[in-house]
Structures are given as structure tokens and as C-alpha cells.
Amino acid sequence: MRNFFFIFTLIYTLPLCAQTKGIFSKDPIINLENFDKQRVYWGYYLGFNAFDFKIDYIETPDTDIVVKGNTGFNVGLVGDLRVHDYINLRFEPGLYYTQRNLTYTGFTRQIDAERQVKSTYIHFPLLVKFSSLRFGNVRPYLVGGASMTLNLSSNSKSQDDNLEQRFRVKPWTKNYELGFGIDLYLEYFKFSPSIRGVFGIGDELIRDNDPNSPWTGNIQSMKTRAFLVNFTFH
């Protein structure tokens, strides 16, 4: 999986090398000089993610639950509204695929000790982008805001629980997001690679029917954390 996303990133970034040649030179040719004067503009993004869970316990366990994230895939649209020369309001709805593997101790059977939490998210972030001055064809920025996420694979309506190997979480989660990126003004379009962290606010776990469940009984809260890398094209 990791090799796949490395190849994916390579395929999408290598063709940019020809266009970015000279972009960091001392006196570059200014591309898309009036692009940021638009009131509204649109784009799309492709990228990858790594999701995790932050787990807090009721009582300190002998051994923590081990959460291992796999590399996932993001795709979505971007709507950008200019509210100031250096401030933009952005809406970036997207589809996120990811998987987390949870490993518990104290079980003799592997089927009981491991849970695969596969998630398909529809992500709705509303973000504020703070841009610096433009230097030639380069403009760094910071971004932050709030988001809502709908998990299409939450199993929230299932009556089965971990006793039947069914891990359940709430369908909707609230998050805050922080990140940074850089706008590169190429000859025909603007390319913006960015890195962002997503931090869940509320508890997402649906407890098992048995309040003393070895899978959920000692968990006080379980919140999503995620690391995103997006490549945006305008």
C-alpha cells in the first residue's frame, strides 16, 4: 500500500518539474499574475492520509491498545472565496478512504485480539487560509478551521458488537484542523501541496452491549487523529 501511494505521488508530481523549472530563480517570469484577484475560484485535490485513534482510559491498563494506521487515499473539491488580500475562506468537501488496526492484549484467539476498522469518510471542512506576501511565483500559507465528518462504515446501526467481531463508532464526528502549504504559480494553473493535521473533538466510540466488555469497557474516550497530505490544483 505504501509503495502504491509513493508511485501515485511520483506520477502526479514529476510532470510538474518541467513547469516548476526556474520558479525559484532570482528573477522568474511571473505566472498567473492576477489569479488571486478573483473573488471566487474552484479546484480539486488528490492526496493521502494516515489516521489514528487517541484513546483515553477509565483506569490505567497494564498494556495500551495498539493502534496501527495504514496509508489511505483522499480526493475532493475546493471552493475558495477571497475575503481579503491575505485571507481566504475555503470549503473542501472530499472522500477519504482509510484503515486502522487495533490490537488488544489478554486474548488467546487472534480473532478476538485484532480489529480492523475500515472507514469511508465524507469530509466537510470549512477553513480559513492566511497567505503571506507573494514572492515571484511562490506564496506560503497557513490554514485552519473546523470540520464535520460522516463515516459511511461506522456500523452504528448494527445490533452486533465486538462479541460478534463488529467494531462500532458514531457516524458523525467534529474536528478542528491546522496545517500549512505553499502556492506555486505555474504557467497554466496554480499547484498547492499542503500538510494538515485533523483532531477529533468528541468521543466516537459506541460501547458494546456488555458494560464490562474487554474491548470497550475501560475506554473513556476514543478520538480521531489524522495526518493529511494534499496536492491541490486550481
Side-chain angles (χ1 to χ4, degrees), residues 138-179:
V138 177
R139 196 178 192 188
Y141 65 86
L142 299 175
V143 66
S147 61
M148 292 285 292
T149 303
L150 174 61
N151 187 351
L152 301 178
S153 308
S154 66
N155 295 322
S156 60
K157 295 182 179 180
S158 174
Q159 297 300 314
D160 294 336
D161 59 14
N162 279 291
L163 199 60
E164 290 80 27
Q165 291 80 49
R166 186 65 58 88
F167 193 88
R168 301 178 299 177
V169 293
K170 297 173 183 177
W172 285 98
T173 57
K174 299 177 182 178
N175 320 281
Y176 69 91
E177 306 190 15
L178 297 170

Side-chain angles (χ1 to χ4, degrees), residues 3-116:
N3 291 336
F4 169 80
F5 285 104
F6 174 77
I7 295 171
F8 165 83
T9 304
L10 205 61
I11 290 173
Y12 274 90
T13 55
L14 281 180
L16 298 172
C17 292
Q19 293 199 47
T20 56
K21 184 178 180 180
I23 199 170
F24 296 104
S25 62
K26 185 177 180 180
D27 297 306
I29 298 173
I30 302 300
N31 299 322
L32 306 176
E33 187 172 1
N34 297 316
F35 188 94
D36 290 337
K37 295 181 181 180
Q38 301 176 86
R39 182 67 173 172
V40 177
Y41 59 87
W42 310 93
Y44 68 94
Y45 63 86
L46 303 166
F48 54 90
N49 63 66
F51 275 74
D52 192 4
F53 279 126
K54 180 181 183 297
I55 301 176
D56 293 320
Y57 301 93
I58 298 173
E59 297 181 2
T60 304
D62 294 332
T63 306
D64 289 347
I65 300 168
V66 178
V67 183
K68 182 179 180 181
N70 294 329
T71 305
F73 176 75
N74 321 325
V75 60
L77 302 174
V78 177
D80 190 291
L81 172 66
R82 181 174 63 86
V83 297
H84 186 272
D85 288 344
Y86 303 102
I87 301 175
N88 294 64
L89 189 64
R90 297 169 71 90
F91 182 52
E92 301 184 358
L95 190 63
Y96 290 44
Y97 299 96
T98 191
Q99 179 178 320
R100 285 157 284 192
N101 298 325
L102 277 60
T103 302
Y104 294 81
T105 58
F107 292 98
T108 56
R109 299 193 308 168
Q110 184 176 359
I111 194 173
D112 293 325
E114 295 183 356
R115 290 291 178 269
Q116 289 187 351

Side-chain angles (χ1 to χ4, degrees), residues 182-208:
I182 183 170
D183 290 332
L184 303 176
Y185 299 83
L186 309 181
E187 185 176 357
Y188 299 110
F189 61 91
K190 183 168 73 171
F191 172 62
S192 303
S194 65
I195 296 174
R196 193 183 312 161
V198 179
F199 307 91
I201 297 173
D203 179 28
E204 302 173 30
L205 181 66
I206 296 178
R207 272 68 183 176
D208 291 341

